[in-house]
Amino acid sequence: MVKHNNVVPNIHCHKKWHASQRGPLKVKLALNQAGKKKSRRLARAAKAAAMAPRPLRQLKPIVNCPTQRYNAKARLGRGFSVAELKAAGLTNTTYARTIGISVDKRRTNKSEESFARNVERLKAYLANVVVFPKKRGVAKPTDVPAQILGTVMPITKPAVECVVEDVPKLETSAFTTMRLARQETRVAGQRKAVEIRKAKD
């Protein structure tokens, strides 16, 4: 008979913990987690060194999120549309991919504002990009900028400036008013008792 108010034993001993048991091992251990972390970091560094001075990531367009709930938020999209590339002076999508521009042929432009924004983004990128020649005899440019390891041309949000002059200055603060009202309420009973005592005298 089970004594006291204990948990009813209902253990499940069907998991295979040892390789000597029958069947495949059902317990996976991650004892190589630290080693895998180091190998991934070294692989990323080797990839960046092999691609240098080319950026690690490609240039992405700025798009708006779908649905009414999130359409006010801007994020980086999959790739530029063919119309945006033509407007920026790039007629060959294959060449655009070779110079670090992501292309999405399925994407269509439905807004003139986003179309103009992405065209300006492409033009600003093309103005700063340095293209190395493929031929061996041609000299490579010497003034090469440092390699970009993060996002190429990330989205910059304008800082909201608060002008102090627009804030109205009150003679008395709300905190002071509430504090005085709380104090008057606390001593109201004592004052009333004093008035009654004086009236009797």
Side-chain angles (χ1 to χ4, degrees):
M1 184 66 185
V2 178
K3 295 183 178 180
H4 310 297
N5 189 17
N6 298 327
V7 179
V8 177
N10 188 21
I11 58 174
H12 295 49
C13 299
H14 298 291
K15 188 165 288 188
K16 186 174 180 294
W17 289 86
H18 305 287
S20 60
Q21 295 177 351
R22 186 179 297 173
L25 190 67
K26 294 185 178 180
V27 178
K28 293 184 179 180
L29 301 177
L31 302 177
N32 60 346
Q33 186 177 11
K36 287 289 185 181
K37 179 180 179 181
K38 183 178 179 180
S39 61
R40 284 195 299 267
R41 180 173 57 82
L42 295 177
R44 285 195 299 268
K47 181 182 177 181
M51 292 178 62
R54 186 171 181 171
L56 275 178
R57 303 179 185 178
Q58 289 186 329
L59 179 68
K60 303 286 186 178
I62 298 177
V63 298
N64 290 88
C65 300
T67 69
Q68 287 184 340
R69 184 174 183 178
Y70 300 106
N71 60 4
K73 184 180 179 182
R75 63 172 176 84
L76 296 178
R78 183 185 183 90
F80 291 92
S81 64
V82 179
E84 291 171 350
L85 293 172
K86 286 184 179 180
L90 293 171
T91 55
N92 192 354
T93 56
T94 306
Y95 174 72
R97 287 191 176 99
T98 59
I99 60 175
I101 299 173
S102 58
V103 182
D104 187 8
K105 293 185 177 180
R106 298 173 296 178
R107 185 166 156 263
T108 57
N109 297 102
K110 298 180 181 179
S111 172
E112 294 182 359
E113 296 178 358
S114 63
F115 177 78
R117 180 175 57 191
N118 286 326
V119 170
E120 290 297 325
R121 185 174 172 85
L122 281 171
K123 289 181 179 178
Y125 178 79
L126 292 173
N128 296 326
V129 71
V130 178
V131 181
F132 281 27
K134 277 191 171 182
K135 295 181 180 180
R136 293 179 180 273
V138 182
K140 295 182 179 180
T142 55
D143 52 342
V144 180
Q147 185 184 23
I148 301 175
L149 299 177
T151 304
V152 180
M153 295 176 64
I155 301 175
T156 56
K157 295 182 180 180
V160 180
E161 296 183 359
C162 180
V163 182
V164 182
E165 298 177 356
D166 297 341
V167 180
K169 293 182 179 180
L170 302 175
E171 296 180 358
T172 57
S173 65
F175 176 78
T176 306
T177 306
M178 292 175 64
R179 182 173 58 80
L180 293 176
R182 193 183 302 114
Q183 187 176 358
E184 292 291 332
T185 306
R186 188 181 296 120
V187 299
Q190 296 178 1
R191 289 179 179 175
K192 189 175 182 180
V194 171
E195 291 177 0
I196 294 172
R197 196 180 304 117
K198 287 183 178 180
K200 288 182 179 180
D201 295 341

